[in-house]
Amino acid sequence: MDSVRTCVGCRARAPRATLTRVVAVGLQVVVDERGSMPGRGAWVHDTSECVDAAIRRRAFGRALRVSGSLDTQTLQNHFQRNG
């Protein structure tokens, strides 16, 4: 059975395989393609709607436990390209 995670954008619970893991590298939020980058991760659906909702709600900062303003431009570009 696949583990269940919560999307930080829509707050829906979903199997880990259907979500994308993101991590903070410094103050930049990046996609963890292989799911093996060190540090705390946050999970989000692979849709621009969920990413936009998480950015609007400032959910990445809380989920990743990072104080300060996070740069989400790389993350937004990734989802616009792939979504």
Side-chain angles (χ1 to χ4, degrees), residues 31 33 46-48 73-83:
V31 175
E33 297 283 345
D46 196 6
T47 65
S48 59
Q73 191 60 48
T74 304
L75 183 66
Q76 288 174 308
N77 292 341
H78 173 82
F79 285 104
Q80 287 174 352
R81 232 182 5 253
N82 295 332

Side-chain angles (χ1 to χ4, degrees), residues 5-82:
R5 300 288 186 260
T6 301
C7 173
V8 295
C10 66
R11 304 296 299 155
R13 293 172 48 93
R16 179 180 171 173
T18 64
L19 298 171
T20 301
R21 183 175 188 257
V22 297
V23 296
V25 177
L27 289 178
Q28 185 172 15
V29 180
V30 296
V31 175
D32 183 2
E33 297 283 345
R34 297 183 310 195
S36 62
M37 291 178 76
R40 187 169 184 85
W43 298 85
V44 65
H45 283 110
D46 196 6
T47 65
S48 59
E49 291 84 15
C50 283
V51 172
D52 291 342
I55 292 168
R56 191 173 50 253
R57 294 178 38 243
R58 297 186 180 113
F60 289 119
R62 283 191 303 277
L64 298 171
R65 295 186 182 168
V66 175
S67 59
S69 180
L70 289 172
D71 178 14
T72 57
Q73 191 60 48
T74 304
L75 183 66
Q76 288 174 308
N77 292 341
H78 173 82
F79 285 104
Q80 287 174 352
R81 232 182 5 253
N82 295 332

